[in-house]
Amino acid sequence: SDSLIQPLITIDMVSIVMTKGTTNFSPLAISSMSLVLGPILGDMEAGKMYATYAMQKCDSVTDLSAVARTAIVVYGMVLNNVISYEACKQPMLDNYSTSMIGGDIQSAMWSIVFYLDLCWFTARPLDSLDKDFSTYTKVCADFSQEQLEVQLACRWQMVLNLRGRSDHRTLLVGDAFDEVERMRGLEEAGDASVRAMILHVKKY
């Protein structure tokens, strides 16, 4: 499976970095190693070390998209396991701006998904979350980022449910999202990954 060969691919990526020197590819390769060593293999100290090094390497590259994607891995997938959520929030929000400036809309939207998740985990008031989810879900729609729009819309509906703005207590159905209709369409399309994502969000 992909998860079994990911460490091998990452090691190959880092080997290229070590032999070719610093390129725009270097920070992302090193951050991928931090992901494998930390969350995947369980050595969080090594993961933290490589994640920190990856961000340091960002100072040596000019590709803003490479910087943005590195930051997503570092703060959204690795360091959020070893430092406080609060400490990860601002880098993720800053990364949204970096991604937009660099024209990497997908990374910008992923940065916002991670940022708003961190806001959720740190008990941001529901009214503030409501406003942000409303804003960024529409930004995703404007830029035709359909998959990420679903990511944000189902989270937004979760907030609306908690604010009493849905007739449903256990289903994400309301003004922002319709879980029943969406799940039916995903099942017909055989899209198990997005279905799993929606179910994961409901665990929050």
Side-chain angles (χ1 to χ4, degrees):
S1 70
D2 290 345
S3 61
L4 293 177
I5 65 172
Q6 180 62 40
L8 298 177
I9 295 173
T10 301
I11 290 171
D12 190 48
M13 290 167 61
V14 174
S15 295
I16 293 173
V17 169
M18 297 299 291
T19 56
K20 301 296 183 182
T22 299
T23 66
N24 286 329
F25 174 75
S26 302
L28 185 57
I30 296 167
S31 69
S32 296
M33 177 64 85
S34 75
L35 179 62
V36 169
L37 291 173
I40 294 178
L41 296 180
D43 188 345
M44 294 309 303
E45 283 302 314
K48 181 179 179 181
M49 180 183 71
Y50 273 87
T52 303
Y53 182 47
M55 291 309 299
Q56 292 172 351
K57 296 294 285 185
C58 285
D59 294 335
S60 305
V61 302
T62 58
D63 186 346
L64 291 180
S65 179
V67 172
R69 290 169 187 256
T70 299
I72 289 171
V73 175
V74 168
Y75 289 104
M77 303 179 190
V78 181
L79 291 185
N80 61 317
N81 293 289
V82 293
I83 66 176
S84 72
Y85 289 156
E86 288 289 350
C88 295
K89 282 162 59 174
Q90 192 61 46
M92 280 285 86
L93 187 58
D94 292 343
N95 201 52
Y96 169 77
S97 299
T98 299
S99 302
M100 293 296 279
I101 292 170
D104 189 345
I105 305 302
Q106 188 176 63
S107 290
M109 295 300 103
W110 270 116
S111 298
I112 286 300
V113 170
F114 282 113
Y115 167 71
L116 290 176
D117 278 352
L118 291 167
C119 289
W120 173 265
F121 297 150
T122 52
R124 186 169 185 172
L126 290 176
D127 60 336
S128 295
L129 286 171
D130 188 352
K131 292 176 183 177
D132 280 345
F133 276 119
S134 173
T135 297
Y136 291 113
T137 300
K138 291 169 184 173
V139 171
C140 276
D142 289 343
F143 284 97
S144 301
Q145 296 291 313
E146 183 178 356
Q147 184 179 14
L148 289 165
E149 182 184 354
V150 172
Q151 290 265 3
L152 290 174
C154 66
R155 287 164 166 81
W156 182 17
Q157 187 58 54
M158 176 177 60
V159 171
L160 294 176
N161 279 27
L162 291 171
R163 299 193 74 189
R165 292 170 55 186
S166 172
D167 294 331
H168 302 268
R169 298 183 64 183
T170 59
L171 292 174
L172 299 177
V173 176
D175 294 338
F177 190 74
D178 188 332
E179 176 188 348
V180 176
E181 181 179 341
R182 178 70 65 168
M183 284 296 203
R184 185 182 300 116
L186 292 171
E187 186 172 356
E188 292 173 355
D191 192 335
S193 62
V194 177
R195 288 170 60 199
M197 178 275 295
I198 294 171
L199 293 174
H200 177 71
V201 168
K202 291 184 70 174
K203 293 180 181 178
Y204 290 179

